[in-house]
Structure formats: structure tokens, C-alpha cells
Amino acid sequence: AMAAERALAMATCTAPVNIAVIKYWGKRDTDLILPINSSLSVTLHQDQLKTTTTAAASRDFTEDRLWLNGKEEDVGHPRVQACLREVRRLARKRRGGGEDAAALSLSYKIHIASENNFPTAAGLASSAAGYACLVSALARLYGVEEELSEVARRGSGSACRSMFGGFVQWQRGERPDGTDSLALQVAPETHWPELRVLVLVVSGEKKPVGSTAGMQTSVETSPLLKHRAEVVVPERLAQMMRHIRERDFEGFGQLAMRDSNQFHATCLDTFPPIFYLTDLSRHIIALAHRYNAHHGHTKVAYTFDAGPNAVIFALADTVPEFVEVVRRSFPPAANGDQFVRGLPVGSAALPQELLAAVVTEPVPGAVQYILHTKPGPGPQLVDDPSQHLLGADGLP
């Protein structure tokens, strides 16, 4: 019976997306994925955004295989291989070199299936969730419990931050081998219960310039990026950790907006320049500033990654009014009922003076939908066998 059971070992995990509020842009080592500066992010709740990954190993598999969202992909991708290699190395180390009869054979080929419940590569941090999930599932499969953020970093830099929930710092580290470049939780997701996140999805398109290529061009050509990494970020990181610790939304929001703007300024300072913000992104930025100015303090804060989708932070009591402001500023084309997804949003009536001051020139249909979510936990093990993405034959 044991032999039959051991024929196929399987593990399934889910992992979250994270949104940086102090941005990572630029590597000092492209192979090990070591950053030129530390960064800080908020992990988003998996009820709204998650990757699910099943990893299976069997002596009957003839080759490693990988499926993403149901489609077979190249398992030979160097970053996928780096993660596989690292987890197997940790498993070998854990067993002290000797082959434990009960442990999964490291020579077995592996099948991996991964699915996102959101558009891949649409500027929604799919690589972070994807690699965090891959590493979590592989670690579970091989019985490894070590410091895994370092392994996830080898897949995608920002993936190391998705190994924890809540508020997470990716420490730049000093060592050339990268052993001190890892993620640490600054505060758990329960620390700031009122914090909410609105993702304004303006397009599910792939980015014009991938992050990997874009950031290296920036490192090579932008003097502003060098100044940012060496002078600006260390101070901002300390400030941001203080704002989070004190649950100071005013400070948190202002700094998040400034850091997003500076990141996009370094993209513009790159030669040739990179444009991730669109006319619509700029429209959303102006809207947020008008809204805050009308209220006389920071009620909403935007941040944009390497893509046009806006992420807006707000406290729960601001959400209904601001969602209505967005709905009036970007009247939905068809999907009126599907315009707000995720956590429920209460209705709000807008005072006439707010409308006049804030909703200046509506752009119909520009925002596809709003996803309402909040900070959430790190990777989770899925116990329910019906949730596996691979069948008993090891195929999707």
C-alpha cells in the first residue's frame, strides 16, 4: 500500500499579490535578483487576488512539466529552474545528504500547475504571487521549512514579499551572495483593520516594457534612480515603517503617493524613457488630489506599479464615497452591476459641492472595474484534495 501511495506526491498552496508602497526598481545582481534598494509592501487578501499552485512528483513522470492558467508553458525558464534547484538543495541539506526512505525522491520529475484568479501580467503583480506560490508548494512537497523568501526572490524579486502577510519589508542586504536579502514582516494584516485597497483596473493588457528589462535600462542610464536608491529610499523606508506602526494614514498616504511619483519619474529619467502611466493614470492622480483637497486632508492615496492600473489606499469609512466619485468620473460603459467587485461597498450620496469640485470632466468607460480588497495573510496550504489543480494522473 505504501508503494502505491508514494507513487504520486502532491501539494497545493495559494499565495497573495503584494503592492509596494516604497518601490523596488533596479537590481545590483541580475542573476541572484539582488535589489539596489530595500522596499516595503502591503500584502493583499487572497479572497480577491491569489495564485493557486499544485506541485506533484512521481517516479512515473518522464519530464518536468508546467501549466499556467491551463496552458502548457516552458518549464525550462531559468527562474523556474532556480526555484526548483534551491528548494531541492534545501531538501537535500535537511536530510543531511542521506536519502530518507520515507522522504520524496529528489530525482523524481515534477509537474506544476498554476492558476491566477486575475489577469496575468496586467500590472497586478502576478509574478510575485506566482513565484511565492511555486516556492510554497515545492517546499511543502519536499518537506522544507527554511527561510523561503530568499528562494522566492530567485523567481521574482517582489515574490519574496508575498511570502508574508500584512506589511512586509524586503531588505536590500549587503552580502554579495544574497543570503541577507530577504523579506521580513513589519506588521501582520490584523494590525490596521480599517485599511482598504481599491484596484482601479483600467486595462488587462500586457505592459509595454516588462519590468525586468525596464529596470535594468534604468539602472544603466538614470542618475535619478541612483540618487533615489542611495539617498531617498533609506529615509523613506524608516518613515513608512513608523506611519504603519502608528496607523497614521495621513503620513502613510502622502509618502506612498510621493514614492510612486518618484518611481515613475525615474522611468521618465531612463534613456530611452519608459512610460507606464497613461493619460488615464494621470487623470486618476489628479482626481485623488482634488478629492483630498476638497476634504482638507489625505483620505485616498494612489500608487502605480509598472503598468497603468491604479491602486488606491483608503480607510474603510472613505470607501463608499470615493467609489461613487470614481463611478461618476468614469461612468461604466456596460457592466454597471459588475463595476465594483470584491468586498461589498456601501452606497453613498455625493454632496453637490463635492461633485462640482471633484468630478470635473467624466471619461465614460475608462475604468473597466474596481476591485475592493484589504490587507491579508501570506501563503496558505490547501488541504482539500478536490482543490488540487492536477489529477491522480498528474495532469491538469
Side-chain angles (χ1 to χ4, degrees), residues 161-227:
R161 300 189 310 242
S162 276
M163 297 303 286
F164 295 96
F167 303 84
V168 184
Q169 181 192 358
W170 173 12
Q171 286 190 312
R172 175 189 185 276
E174 298 298 329
R175 300 184 196 135
D177 67 356
T179 48
D180 58 349
S181 185
L182 30 94
L184 302 165
Q185 189 182 66
V186 172
E189 63 275 14
T190 51
H191 168 72
W192 200 344
E194 304 78 23
L195 193 64
R196 294 291 179 274
V197 181
L198 296 167
V199 184
L200 274 53
V201 178
V202 303
S203 104
E205 303 300 298
K206 238 171 144 53
K207 334 181 214 202
V209 182
S211 308
T212 302
M215 69 174 72
Q216 282 328 99
T217 310
S218 297
V219 168
E220 288 155 20
T221 63
S222 169
L224 180 57
L225 181 61
K226 182 173 156 60
H227 173 73

Coordinates of all heavy atoms in Angstrom, one line a residue, residues 161-227:
R161 N 8.4 39.2 -1.0 CA 7.5 40.0 -0.1 C 6.1 39.3 0.0 O 5.4 39.5 1.0 CB 7.3 41.4 -0.6 CG 8.6 42.2 -0.7 CD 8.3 43.7 -0.9 NE 7.5 43.9 -2.1 CZ 7.8 44.5 -3.2 NH1 9.0 45.1 -3.3 NH2 6.9 44.6 -4.2
S162 N 5.8 38.5 -1.0 CA 4.5 37.7 -1.0 C 4.6 36.5 -0.1 O 3.6 35.8 0.1 CB 4.0 37.3 -2.4 OG 3.3 38.4 -3.0
M163 N 5.7 36.2 0.5 CA 5.9 35.1 1.4 C 5.3 35.4 2.8 O 5.3 34.6 3.7 CB 7.3 34.6 1.5 CG 7.9 34.1 0.2 SD 7.0 32.8 -0.5 CE 7.4 31.4 0.6
F164 N 4.9 36.7 3.1 CA 4.3 37.1 4.3 C 3.1 37.9 4.1 O 2.9 38.5 3.1 CB 5.3 37.9 5.1 CG 6.6 37.2 5.5 CD1 7.7 37.3 4.7 CD2 6.6 36.4 6.7 CE1 8.9 36.7 5.1 CE2 7.8 35.7 7.0 CZ 8.9 35.9 6.2
G165 N 2.2 37.9 5.1 CA 1.0 38.7 5.1 C 1.3 40.1 5.7 O 2.3 40.3 6.2
G166 N 0.3 40.9 5.6 CA 0.3 42.2 6.2 C 1.3 43.2 5.5 O 1.2 43.4 4.3
F167 N 2.2 43.8 6.3 CA 3.1 44.8 5.8 C 4.5 44.2 5.9 O 4.9 43.7 6.9 CB 3.0 46.0 6.8 CG 1.6 46.6 6.8 CD1 0.7 46.0 7.7 CD2 1.2 47.6 6.0 CE1 -0.6 46.5 7.8 CE2 -0.1 48.1 6.0 CZ -1.0 47.5 6.9
V168 N 5.2 44.2 4.7 CA 6.4 43.4 4.6 C 7.6 44.3 4.0 O 7.4 45.0 3.0 CB 6.2 42.2 3.6 CG1 7.4 41.4 3.5 CG2 4.9 41.4 4.1
Q169 N 8.7 44.1 4.6 CA 9.9 44.8 4.1 C 10.8 43.8 3.4 O 11.0 42.7 3.9 CB 10.7 45.5 5.2 CG 12.0 46.2 4.7 CD 12.9 46.6 5.8 OE1 12.6 46.4 7.0 NE2 14.0 47.2 5.5
W170 N 11.3 44.1 2.2 CA 12.4 43.3 1.5 C 13.7 44.1 1.8 O 13.9 45.2 1.3 CB 12.1 43.2 0.0 CG 13.2 42.6 -0.8 CD1 14.3 41.9 -0.3 CD2 13.3 42.6 -2.2 NE1 15.0 41.4 -1.3 CE2 14.5 41.8 -2.5 CE3 12.5 43.1 -3.2 CZ2 14.9 41.6 -3.8 CZ3 12.9 42.9 -4.5 CH2 14.1 42.1 -4.8
Q171 N 14.5 43.5 2.7 CA 15.8 44.1 3.0 C 16.7 44.0 1.8 O 16.9 42.8 1.4 CB 16.3 43.5 4.2 CG 15.7 43.8 5.5 CD 16.4 43.3 6.7 OE1 16.8 42.2 6.7 NE2 16.7 44.2 7.7
R172 N 17.3 45.1 1.5 CA 18.3 45.0 0.4 C 19.4 44.0 0.6 O 19.8 43.2 -0.2 CB 18.9 46.5 0.3 CG 20.0 46.6 -0.7 CD 20.7 47.9 -0.6 NE 21.7 48.1 -1.6 CZ 23.0 47.7 -1.5 NH1 23.4 47.0 -0.4 NH2 23.8 47.8 -2.5
G173 N 19.9 44.0 1.9 CA 21.0 43.1 2.2 C 22.4 43.7 1.7 O 22.4 44.7 0.9
E174 N 23.5 43.2 2.3 CA 24.8 43.7 1.9 C 25.6 42.7 1.2 O 26.5 43.0 0.5 CB 25.5 44.2 3.2 CG 24.8 45.4 3.9 CD 24.7 46.6 3.0 OE1 25.6 46.9 2.2 OE2 23.7 47.4 3.1
R175 N 25.4 41.4 1.6 CA 26.3 40.3 1.1 C 26.2 40.1 -0.4 O 25.1 40.1 -0.9 CB 26.0 39.0 1.9 CG 26.2 39.2 3.4 CD 26.0 37.8 4.1 NE 25.8 38.0 5.5 CZ 24.8 37.4 6.2 NH1 24.0 36.5 5.6 NH2 24.7 37.6 7.5
P176 N 27.3 39.9 -1.1 CA 27.3 39.6 -2.5 C 26.5 38.3 -2.8 O 26.0 38.1 -3.9 CB 28.7 39.5 -2.9 CG 29.5 39.6 -1.7 CD 28.7 40.0 -0.5
D177 N 26.5 37.3 -1.9 CA 25.8 36.0 -2.2 C 24.3 36.1 -1.9 O 23.5 35.2 -2.2 CB 26.4 34.9 -1.4 CG 26.1 35.0 0.1 OD1 25.5 36.0 0.6 OD2 26.5 34.1 0.9
G178 N 23.8 37.3 -1.4 CA 22.4 37.5 -1.3 C 21.7 36.8 -0.1 O 20.5 36.9 0.1
T179 N 22.5 36.2 0.8 CA 21.9 35.5 1.9 C 21.2 36.4 2.9 O 20.4 35.9 3.7 CB 22.9 34.6 2.6 OG1 24.1 35.4 2.9 CG2 23.3 33.4 1.8
D180 N 21.5 37.7 2.8 CA 20.8 38.6 3.8 C 19.8 39.5 3.0 O 19.3 40.5 3.6 CB 21.8 39.5 4.5 CG 22.7 40.3 3.6 OD1 22.7 40.1 2.4 OD2 23.4 41.2 4.1
S181 N 19.5 39.1 1.8 CA 18.5 39.9 1.0 C 17.2 39.1 1.1 O 16.9 38.2 0.3 CB 18.9 40.1 -0.4 OG 18.0 40.9 -1.1
L182 N 16.4 39.4 2.1 CA 15.2 38.6 2.4 C 14.1 39.5 2.9 O 14.2 40.7 3.2 CB 15.5 37.5 3.3 CG 16.6 37.6 4.3 CD1 16.0 38.1 5.7 CD2 17.3 36.3 4.5
A183 N 12.9 38.9 3.0 CA 11.7 39.6 3.4 C 11.4 39.4 4.9 O 11.7 38.3 5.5 CB 10.5 39.2 2.6
L184 N 10.9 40.4 5.6 CA 10.5 40.4 7.0 C 9.2 41.0 7.1 O 8.9 42.1 6.5 CB 11.5 41.2 7.8 CG 13.0 40.9 7.8 CD1 13.8 42.0 8.3 CD2 13.3 39.6 8.5
Q185 N 8.4 40.5 8.0 CA 7.1 41.1 8.3 C 7.2 42.3 9.2 O 7.8 42.1 10.3 CB 6.1 40.1 8.8 CG 4.7 40.6 8.9 CD 3.7 39.6 9.6 OE1 3.8 39.3 10.7 NE2 2.7 39.1 8.8
V186 N 6.7 43.4 8.8 CA 6.8 44.6 9.6 C 5.6 44.6 10.6 O 5.8 45.0 11.8 CB 6.7 45.9 8.7 CG1 6.6 47.2 9.6 CG2 8.0 46.0 7.8
A187 N 4.5 44.2 10.1 CA 3.3 44.1 11.0 C 2.3 43.1 10.3 O 2.2 43.1 9.1 CB 2.6 45.5 11.2
P188 N 1.5 42.4 11.1 CA 0.6 41.4 10.5 C -0.6 42.2 9.9 O -0.9 43.3 10.1 CB 0.2 40.5 11.6 CG 0.3 41.4 12.8 CD 1.5 42.3 12.5
E189 N -1.4 41.4 9.1 CA -2.6 42.0 8.4 C -3.6 42.5 9.4 O -4.5 43.4 9.1 CB -3.2 41.0 7.4 CG -3.8 39.8 8.0 CD -2.8 38.7 8.2 OE1 -1.5 38.9 8.2 OE2 -3.2 37.5 8.5
T190 N -3.6 42.0 10.6 CA -4.6 42.4 11.7 C -4.2 43.7 12.3 O -5.0 44.3 13.1 CB -4.6 41.3 12.8 OG1 -3.3 41.1 13.2 CG2 -5.2 40.0 12.3
H191 N -3.0 44.2 12.0 CA -2.5 45.4 12.7 C -3.3 46.7 12.4 O -3.5 47.6 13.2 CB -1.0 45.6 12.3 CG -0.5 47.0 12.7 ND1 -0.2 47.3 14.0 CD2 -0.1 48.1 12.0 CE1 0.3 48.5 14.1 NE2 0.3 49.0 12.8
W192 N -3.9 46.8 11.2 CA -4.6 48.0 10.7 C -5.9 47.6 10.1 O -6.0 47.6 8.9 CB -3.7 48.8 9.8 CG -4.0 50.2 9.6 CD1 -5.2 50.9 10.0 CD2 -3.2 51.2 9.0 NE1 -5.1 52.2 9.6 CE2 -3.9 52.4 9.0 CE3 -1.9 51.2 8.4 CZ2 -3.4 53.6 8.5 CZ3 -1.4 52.4 7.9 CH2 -2.1 53.6 7.9
P193 N -6.9 47.2 10.9 CA -8.1 46.6 10.4 C -8.9 47.5 9.5 O -9.7 47.0 8.6 CB -8.9 46.2 11.6 CG -8.1 46.6 12.8 CD -6.9 47.3 12.4
E194 N -8.8 48.8 9.6 CA -9.6 49.8 8.8 C -9.0 50.0 7.4 O -9.7 50.6 6.6 CB -9.7 51.1 9.5 CG -10.3 51.1 10.9 CD -9.2 50.7 12.0 OE1 -8.0 50.8 11.7 OE2 -9.6 50.2 13.0
L195 N -7.8 49.6 7.2 CA -7.2 49.9 5.9 C -7.8 49.1 4.7 O -8.1 47.9 4.9 CB -5.7 49.6 5.9 CG -4.9 50.2 4.8 CD1 -4.9 51.7 4.7 CD2 -3.4 49.7 4.8
R196 N -8.2 49.8 3.6 CA -8.8 49.2 2.5 C -8.0 49.5 1.2 O -7.3 50.5 1.2 CB -10.2 49.7 2.3 CG -11.2 49.2 3.4 CD -11.4 47.7 3.4 NE -12.3 47.3 4.4 CZ -11.9 47.0 5.7 NH1 -10.6 47.1 6.0 NH2 -12.8 46.6 6.6
V197 N -8.1 48.7 0.2 CA -7.4 48.8 -1.0 C -8.4 48.8 -2.2 O -9.2 47.9 -2.3 CB -6.4 47.7 -1.2 CG1 -5.6 47.9 -2.5 CG2 -5.4 47.7 0.0
L198 N -8.3 49.7 -3.1 CA -9.2 49.7 -4.3 C -8.2 49.6 -5.5 O -7.3 50.5 -5.7 CB -10.0 51.0 -4.4 CG -11.0 51.3 -3.3 CD1 -11.5 52.7 -3.4 CD2 -12.2 50.3 -3.5
V199 N -8.4 48.6 -6.3 CA -7.6 48.4 -7.5 C -8.5 48.9 -8.7 O -9.5 48.3 -8.9 CB -7.1 47.0 -7.8 CG1 -6.2 46.9 -9.0 CG2 -6.4 46.4 -6.6
L200 N -8.1 50.0 -9.3 CA -8.8 50.5 -10.5 C -8.2 49.9 -11.7 O -7.1 50.3 -12.1 CB -8.7 52.1 -10.5 CG -9.8 52.8 -9.7 CD1 -9.8 52.4 -8.3 CD2 -9.5 54.3 -9.8
V201 N -8.9 48.9 -12.3 CA -8.4 48.2 -13.4 C -8.8 48.9 -14.7 O -9.9 49.0 -15.0 CB -8.9 46.7 -13.5 CG1 -8.4 46.0 -14.7 CG2 -8.5 46.0 -12.2
V202 N -7.7 49.5 -15.3 CA -8.0 50.3 -16.5 C -7.8 49.5 -17.7 O -8.3 49.8 -18.8 CB -7.2 51.6 -16.5 CG1 -7.4 52.4 -15.3 CG2 -5.7 51.3 -16.7
S203 N -7.0 48.4 -17.6 CA -6.7 47.6 -18.8 C -6.1 46.3 -18.3 O -5.3 46.3 -17.4 CB -5.8 48.4 -19.7 OG -4.5 47.8 -19.7
G204 N -6.5 45.2 -19.0 CA -5.9 43.9 -18.7 C -4.8 43.6 -19.7 O -4.5 42.5 -19.9
E205 N -4.3 44.6 -20.3 CA -3.3 44.4 -21.3 C -1.9 44.1 -20.7 O -1.6 44.5 -19.6 CB -3.1 45.7 -22.2 CG -4.4 46.1 -22.8 CD -5.0 45.1 -23.8 OE1 -4.3 44.7 -24.7 OE2 -6.1 44.6 -23.5
K206 N -1.0 43.5 -21.4 CA 0.4 43.3 -21.0 C 1.1 44.6 -21.1 O 0.8 45.5 -21.9 CB 1.1 42.3 -22.0 CG 1.6 41.1 -21.3 CD 2.1 40.1 -22.3 CE 3.3 39.3 -21.9 NZ 3.2 38.7 -20.6
K207 N 2.1 44.8 -20.2 CA 2.8 46.1 -20.2 C 3.6 46.3 -21.4 O 4.1 45.4 -22.0 CB 3.8 46.1 -19.0 CG 3.4 45.2 -17.8 CD 4.5 45.4 -16.7 CE 4.7 44.1 -16.0 NZ 5.2 44.2 -14.7
P208 N 3.9 47.6 -21.8 CA 4.7 47.9 -22.9 C 6.1 47.5 -22.8 O 6.7 47.0 -23.7 CB 4.6 49.4 -23.0 CG 4.2 49.9 -21.6 CD 3.4 48.8 -21.0
V209 N 6.7 47.7 -21.6 CA 8.1 47.3 -21.3 C 8.0 46.4 -20.1 O 7.6 46.9 -19.0 CB 9.0 48.5 -21.1 CG1 10.4 48.0 -20.8 CG2 8.9 49.5 -22.2
G210 N 8.4 45.2 -20.1 CA 8.5 44.3 -19.0 C 9.4 44.9 -17.9 O 10.3 45.6 -18.2
S211 N 9.0 44.6 -16.6 CA 9.8 45.2 -15.5 C 11.3 44.8 -15.6 O 12.1 45.6 -15.3 CB 9.2 44.7 -14.2 OG 7.8 44.9 -14.1
T212 N 11.5 43.5 -15.9 CA 12.9 43.0 -15.9 C 13.8 43.9 -16.8 O 14.9 44.3 -16.4 CB 13.0 41.6 -16.3 OG1 12.1 40.8 -15.4 CG2 14.4 41.0 -16.2
A213 N 13.4 44.1 -18.0 CA 14.2 44.8 -19.0 C 14.2 46.3 -18.6 O 15.2 47.0 -18.6 CB 13.6 44.7 -20.4
G214 N 13.0 46.8 -18.2 CA 12.9 48.2 -17.9 C 13.8 48.7 -16.8 O 14.5 49.7 -16.9
M215 N 13.8 47.9 -15.7 CA 14.6 48.3 -14.5 C 16.1 48.3 -14.8 O 16.8 49.1 -14.3 CB 14.2 47.6 -13.2 CG 14.6 46.2 -13.1 SD 14.2 45.5 -11.5 CE 12.4 45.4 -11.5
Q216 N 16.5 47.4 -15.6 CA 18.0 47.4 -15.9 C 18.4 48.5 -16.8 O 19.5 49.1 -16.6 CB 18.5 46.0 -16.4 CG 18.6 44.9 -15.4 CD 19.0 45.5 -14.0 OE1 18.2 45.7 -13.1 NE2 20.3 45.7 -13.8
T217 N 17.6 48.9 -17.7 CA 17.8 50.1 -18.5 C 17.9 51.3 -17.6 O 18.8 52.2 -17.7 CB 16.7 50.4 -19.6 OG1 16.6 49.1 -20.3 CG2 17.1 51.4 -20.5
S218 N 17.0 51.4 -16.6 CA 17.0 52.5 -15.6 C 18.3 52.5 -14.8 O 18.9 53.5 -14.6 CB 15.8 52.4 -14.6 OG 14.6 52.5 -15.3
V219 N 18.8 51.3 -14.3 CA 20.0 51.2 -13.6 C 21.2 51.8 -14.4 O 22.0 52.5 -13.9 CB 20.3 49.8 -13.1 CG1 21.7 49.6 -12.6 CG2 19.3 49.3 -12.1
E220 N 21.2 51.4 -15.7 CA 22.3 51.8 -16.5 C 22.3 53.3 -16.9 O 23.3 53.9 -17.2 CB 22.3 50.9 -17.8 CG 22.7 49.5 -17.5 CD 22.2 48.5 -18.6 OE1 21.8 49.0 -19.7 OE2 22.1 47.3 -18.3
T221 N 21.1 53.9 -17.0 CA 21.0 55.2 -17.6 C 20.5 56.4 -16.7 O 20.6 57.5 -17.0 CB 20.1 55.2 -18.9 OG1 18.8 54.8 -18.5 CG2 20.7 54.2 -19.9
S222 N 19.8 56.0 -15.6 CA 19.2 57.1 -14.8 C 20.0 57.5 -13.5 O 20.1 56.8 -12.6 CB 17.8 56.6 -14.3 OG 17.3 57.5 -13.4
P223 N 20.5 58.8 -13.6 CA 21.2 59.3 -12.4 C 20.2 59.5 -11.2 O 20.5 59.4 -10.1 CB 21.8 60.6 -12.8 CG 21.3 60.8 -14.2 CD 20.6 59.7 -14.7
L224 N 18.9 59.8 -11.6 CA 17.9 60.0 -10.6 C 17.7 58.7 -9.8 O 17.5 58.7 -8.6 CB 16.6 60.5 -11.2 CG 15.4 60.7 -10.3 CD1 15.7 61.7 -9.2 CD2 14.2 61.2 -11.1
L225 N 17.7 57.5 -10.5 CA 17.5 56.3 -9.8 C 18.6 56.0 -8.8 O 18.3 55.5 -7.7 CB 17.4 55.1 -10.8 CG 17.2 53.7 -10.2 CD1 15.8 53.7 -9.5 CD2 17.2 52.6 -11.3
K226 N 19.8 56.3 -9.2 CA 20.9 56.1 -8.2 C 20.8 57.0 -7.0 O 20.9 56.5 -5.9 CB 22.2 56.5 -9.0 CG 23.5 56.3 -8.2 CD 24.7 56.6 -9.1 CE 26.0 57.0 -8.3 NZ 26.4 55.9 -7.3
H227 N 20.4 58.2 -7.2 CA 20.1 59.1 -6.0 C 19.0 58.6 -5.2 O 19.0 58.6 -3.9 CB 19.8 60.5 -6.5 CG 19.3 61.5 -5.4 ND1 20.2 62.0 -4.5 CD2 18.1 62.0 -5.1 CE1 19.6 62.8 -3.7 NE2 18.3 62.8 -4.0

